[in-house]
């Protein structure tokens, strides 16, 4: 076990255990890159065809940038969830313009404070959360010059939003499932070192 344990990692393990218990068959990844900003979300859960972006806020974390992060998540993922230490609960809930669900976490106890609210992801941002090599399978051979921009532009024109949503879900499932399966095999007593197994290590940079 790591000698230095971040409070956020302690919450992460509690959240992962909670999701596994509440949503049988869930797939979870960590530090998943997304969108045009190429930032990463703390945890990403896939369940029953929908995507859940999860932000973790420990007592030592700041919520200063949280509103901006949640706006970005809403453009890509079906649900935005914040699991927070009680210190930040009121402030997180006050972000009323954001479609977020809020859970309070304290000593492994997790309580829902604000229920799930569905986002309306955009085609463009979802496409920028899928790497080019995966998207190539949807492009008719010889139709375009296969640069990242050309591929995404072509798919944007040819496919409806629901189809792009399915592409994103399939891409994330392909990238996250094997690592999460390994995490489940290694899972026993809480080990903070095991969190590294969930790191998605996705490359969304232009090729």
């Amino acid at each position: 076990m790591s000698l230095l344990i971040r409070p956020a990692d302690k919450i992460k393990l509690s959240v992962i255990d909670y999701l596994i218990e509440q949503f049988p068959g869930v797939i979870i990844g960590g530090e998943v890159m997304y969108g045009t900003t190429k930032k990463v979300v703390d945890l990403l859960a896939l369940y029953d065809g929908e995507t859940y972006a999860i932000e973790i806020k420990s007592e030592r974390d700041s919520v200063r940038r949280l509103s901006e992060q949640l706006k970005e998540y809403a453009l890509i993922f079906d649900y935005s969830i914040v699991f927070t230490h009680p210190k930040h609960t009121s402030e997180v809930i006050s972000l009323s313009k954001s479609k977020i669900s809020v859970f309070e976490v304290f000593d492994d106890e997790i309580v829902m404070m604000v229920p799930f609210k569905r986002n309306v992801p955009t085609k463009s941002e979802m496409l920028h959360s899928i790497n080019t090599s995966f998207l190539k399978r949807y492009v008719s051979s010889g139709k375009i010059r296969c640069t990242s921009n050309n591929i995404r532009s072509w798919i944007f024109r040819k496919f409806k939003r629901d189809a792009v949503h399915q592409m994103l879900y399939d891409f994330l499932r392909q990238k996250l499932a094997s690592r999460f399966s390994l995490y489940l095999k290694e899972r026993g007593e809480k080990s903070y070192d095991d969190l590294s197994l969930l790191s998605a290590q996705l490359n969304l940079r232009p090729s």
Side-chain angles (χ1 to χ4, degrees), residues 35-54:
T36 54
T37 63
K38 302 299 182 284
K39 296 176 185 175
V40 295
V41 59
D42 286 340
L43 291 174
L44 183 66
L46 306 178
Y47 181 72
D48 199 21
E50 296 184 307
T51 56
Y52 298 76
I54 298 168

mmCIF file of all heavy atoms in Angstrom, residues 35-54:
data_model
loop_
_atom_site.group_PDB
_atom_site.id
_atom_site.type_symbol
_atom_site.label_atom_id
_atom_site.label_comp_id
_atom_site.label_asym_id
_atom_site.label_seq_id
_atom_site.Cartn_x
_atom_site.Cartn_y
_atom_site.Cartn_z
ATOM 1 N N GLY A 35 -12.968 15.334 -24.996
ATOM 2 C CA GLY A 35 -13.295 16.574 -25.698
ATOM 3 C C GLY A 35 -12.160 17.349 -26.338
ATOM 4 O O GLY A 35 -11.016 16.896 -26.413
ATOM 5 N N THR A 36 -12.511 18.534 -26.803
ATOM 6 C CA THR A 36 -11.529 19.394 -27.473
ATOM 7 C C THR A 36 -10.495 19.956 -26.510
ATOM 8 O O THR A 36 -9.391 20.316 -26.910
ATOM 9 C CB THR A 36 -12.241 20.563 -28.182
ATOM 10 O OG1 THR A 36 -13.065 21.249 -27.237
ATOM 11 C CG2 THR A 36 -13.095 20.073 -29.338
ATOM 12 N N THR A 37 -10.843 20.024 -25.214
ATOM 13 C CA THR A 37 -9.898 20.591 -24.237
ATOM 14 C C THR A 37 -8.804 19.608 -23.862
ATOM 15 O O THR A 37 -7.778 20.000 -23.316
ATOM 16 C CB THR A 37 -10.634 21.010 -22.954
ATOM 17 O OG1 THR A 37 -11.228 19.864 -22.331
ATOM 18 C CG2 THR A 37 -11.714 22.055 -23.268
ATOM 19 N N LYS A 38 -9.014 18.322 -24.132
ATOM 20 C CA LYS A 38 -8.062 17.246 -23.819
ATOM 21 C C LYS A 38 -7.712 17.219 -22.332
ATOM 22 O O LYS A 38 -6.580 16.950 -21.938
ATOM 23 C CB LYS A 38 -6.778 17.393 -24.668
ATOM 24 C CG LYS A 38 -7.038 17.383 -26.167
ATOM 25 C CD LYS A 38 -7.662 16.072 -26.600
ATOM 26 C CE LYS A 38 -7.876 16.017 -28.105
ATOM 27 N NZ LYS A 38 -9.022 16.799 -28.569
ATOM 28 N N LYS A 39 -8.711 17.496 -21.491
ATOM 29 C CA LYS A 39 -8.545 17.358 -20.053
ATOM 30 C C LYS A 39 -8.985 15.954 -19.636
ATOM 31 O O LYS A 39 -9.383 15.160 -20.490
ATOM 32 C CB LYS A 39 -9.367 18.421 -19.328
ATOM 33 C CG LYS A 39 -8.912 19.850 -19.619
ATOM 34 C CD LYS A 39 -9.835 20.853 -18.945
ATOM 35 C CE LYS A 39 -9.467 22.274 -19.327
ATOM 36 N NZ LYS A 39 -10.429 23.272 -18.770
ATOM 37 N N VAL A 40 -8.907 15.660 -18.335
ATOM 38 C CA VAL A 40 -9.300 14.326 -17.883
ATOM 39 C C VAL A 40 -10.334 14.421 -16.771
ATOM 40 O O VAL A 40 -10.325 15.350 -15.966
ATOM 41 C CB VAL A 40 -8.089 13.491 -17.391
ATOM 42 C CG1 VAL A 40 -7.126 13.213 -18.530
ATOM 43 C CG2 VAL A 40 -7.374 14.188 -16.244
ATOM 44 N N VAL A 41 -11.239 13.450 -16.740
ATOM 45 C CA VAL A 41 -12.246 13.343 -15.698
ATOM 46 C C VAL A 41 -11.752 12.330 -14.664
ATOM 47 O O VAL A 41 -11.114 11.337 -15.014
ATOM 48 C CB VAL A 41 -13.605 12.929 -16.290
ATOM 49 C CG1 VAL A 41 -13.515 11.608 -17.019
ATOM 50 C CG2 VAL A 41 -14.680 12.896 -15.215
ATOM 51 N N ASP A 42 -12.020 12.587 -13.385
ATOM 52 C CA ASP A 42 -11.517 11.722 -12.310
ATOM 53 C C ASP A 42 -11.900 10.263 -12.523
ATOM 54 O O ASP A 42 -11.044 9.371 -12.527
ATOM 55 C CB ASP A 42 -12.065 12.194 -10.955
ATOM 56 C CG ASP A 42 -11.398 13.469 -10.462
ATOM 57 O OD1 ASP A 42 -10.293 13.784 -10.933
ATOM 58 O OD2 ASP A 42 -11.991 14.154 -9.598
ATOM 59 N N LEU A 43 -13.198 10.010 -12.673
ATOM 60 C CA LEU A 43 -13.690 8.665 -12.951
ATOM 61 C C LEU A 43 -14.751 8.749 -14.038
ATOM 62 O O LEU A 43 -15.470 9.748 -14.131
ATOM 63 C CB LEU A 43 -14.327 8.035 -11.702
ATOM 64 C CG LEU A 43 -13.419 7.664 -10.528
ATOM 65 C CD1 LEU A 43 -14.268 7.200 -9.339
ATOM 66 C CD2 LEU A 43 -12.415 6.588 -10.908
ATOM 67 N N LEU A 44 -14.839 7.708 -14.837
ATOM 68 C CA LEU A 44 -15.888 7.628 -15.846
ATOM 69 C C LEU A 44 -16.537 6.259 -15.741
ATOM 70 O O LEU A 44 -15.850 5.237 -15.768
ATOM 71 C CB LEU A 44 -15.317 7.826 -17.250
ATOM 72 C CG LEU A 44 -16.355 7.821 -18.375
ATOM 73 C CD1 LEU A 44 -17.277 9.024 -18.244
ATOM 74 C CD2 LEU A 44 -15.682 7.835 -19.734
ATOM 75 N N ALA A 45 -17.852 6.239 -15.595
ATOM 76 C CA ALA A 45 -18.588 4.981 -15.488
ATOM 77 C C ALA A 45 -19.451 4.770 -16.717
ATOM 78 O O ALA A 45 -20.050 5.720 -17.236
ATOM 79 C CB ALA A 45 -19.457 4.984 -14.229
ATOM 80 N N LEU A 46 -19.494 3.530 -17.189
ATOM 81 C CA LEU A 46 -20.352 3.130 -18.296
ATOM 82 C C LEU A 46 -21.357 2.137 -17.753
ATOM 83 O O LEU A 46 -20.981 1.132 -17.126
ATOM 84 C CB LEU A 46 -19.530 2.463 -19.402
ATOM 85 C CG LEU A 46 -18.329 3.231 -19.955
ATOM 86 C CD1 LEU A 46 -17.624 2.379 -21.011
ATOM 87 C CD2 LEU A 46 -18.739 4.574 -20.523
ATOM 88 N N TYR A 47 -22.642 2.428 -18.000
ATOM 89 C CA TYR A 47 -23.664 1.533 -17.482
ATOM 90 C C TYR A 47 -24.925 1.618 -18.323
ATOM 91 O O TYR A 47 -25.451 2.717 -18.566
ATOM 92 C CB TYR A 47 -24.005 1.891 -16.025
ATOM 93 C CG TYR A 47 -25.047 0.992 -15.417
ATOM 94 C CD1 TYR A 47 -24.757 -0.329 -15.085
ATOM 95 C CD2 TYR A 47 -26.335 1.469 -15.174
ATOM 96 C CE1 TYR A 47 -25.723 -1.163 -14.530
ATOM 97 C CE2 TYR A 47 -27.310 0.646 -14.616
ATOM 98 C CZ TYR A 47 -26.990 -0.670 -14.297
ATOM 99 O OH TYR A 47 -27.948 -1.486 -13.759
ATOM 100 N N ASP A 48 -25.381 0.478 -18.800
ATOM 101 C CA ASP A 48 -26.647 0.373 -19.519
ATOM 102 C C ASP A 48 -26.740 1.377 -20.672
ATOM 103 O O ASP A 48 -27.760 2.030 -20.879
ATOM 104 C CB ASP A 48 -27.805 0.580 -18.547
ATOM 105 C CG ASP A 48 -29.127 0.052 -19.085
ATOM 106 O OD1 ASP A 48 -29.087 -0.806 -19.980
ATOM 107 O OD2 ASP A 48 -30.195 0.513 -18.628
ATOM 108 N N GLY A 49 -25.636 1.506 -21.415
ATOM 109 C CA GLY A 49 -25.630 2.356 -22.603
ATOM 110 C C GLY A 49 -25.447 3.841 -22.348
ATOM 111 O O GLY A 49 -25.526 4.645 -23.288
ATOM 112 N N GLU A 50 -25.157 4.228 -21.107
ATOM 113 C CA GLU A 50 -25.006 5.643 -20.795
ATOM 114 C C GLU A 50 -23.678 5.915 -20.091
ATOM 115 O O GLU A 50 -23.085 5.022 -19.483
ATOM 116 C CB GLU A 50 -26.179 6.127 -19.935
ATOM 117 C CG GLU A 50 -27.507 6.031 -20.673
ATOM 118 C CD GLU A 50 -28.669 6.580 -19.880
ATOM 119 O OE1 GLU A 50 -28.842 6.137 -18.731
ATOM 120 O OE2 GLU A 50 -29.409 7.426 -20.409
ATOM 121 N N THR A 51 -23.225 7.163 -20.183
ATOM 122 C CA THR A 51 -21.925 7.554 -19.651
ATOM 123 C C THR A 51 -22.104 8.480 -18.455
ATOM 124 O O THR A 51 -22.946 9.378 -18.460
ATOM 125 C CB THR A 51 -21.092 8.273 -20.726
ATOM 126 O OG1 THR A 51 -21.831 9.406 -21.229
ATOM 127 C CG2 THR A 51 -20.779 7.328 -21.887
ATOM 128 N N TYR A 52 -21.263 8.277 -17.440
ATOM 129 C CA TYR A 52 -21.353 9.031 -16.184
ATOM 130 C C TYR A 52 -19.981 9.620 -15.852
ATOM 131 O O TYR A 52 -19.048 8.879 -15.515
ATOM 132 C CB TYR A 52 -21.805 8.126 -15.043
ATOM 133 C CG TYR A 52 -23.180 7.526 -15.225
ATOM 134 C CD1 TYR A 52 -23.393 6.460 -16.117
ATOM 135 C CD2 TYR A 52 -24.271 7.997 -14.505
ATOM 136 C CE1 TYR A 52 -24.656 5.906 -16.291
ATOM 137 C CE2 TYR A 52 -25.540 7.443 -14.666
ATOM 138 C CZ TYR A 52 -25.723 6.402 -15.558
ATOM 139 O OH TYR A 52 -26.972 5.855 -15.730
ATOM 140 N N ALA A 53 -19.859 10.934 -15.967
ATOM 141 C CA ALA A 53 -18.620 11.620 -15.601
ATOM 142 C C ALA A 53 -18.653 11.921 -14.108
ATOM 143 O O ALA A 53 -19.631 12.483 -13.601
ATOM 144 C CB ALA A 53 -18.474 12.916 -16.391
ATOM 145 N N ILE A 54 -17.597 11.539 -13.408
ATOM 146 C CA ILE A 54 -17.590 11.636 -11.952
ATOM 147 C C ILE A 54 -16.405 12.480 -11.482
ATOM 148 O O ILE A 54 -15.250 12.189 -11.815
ATOM 149 C CB ILE A 54 -17.507 10.235 -11.315
ATOM 150 C CG1 ILE A 54 -18.750 9.422 -11.714
ATOM 151 C CG2 ILE A 54 -17.365 10.326 -9.806
ATOM 152 C CD1 ILE A 54 -18.644 7.951 -11.384
#
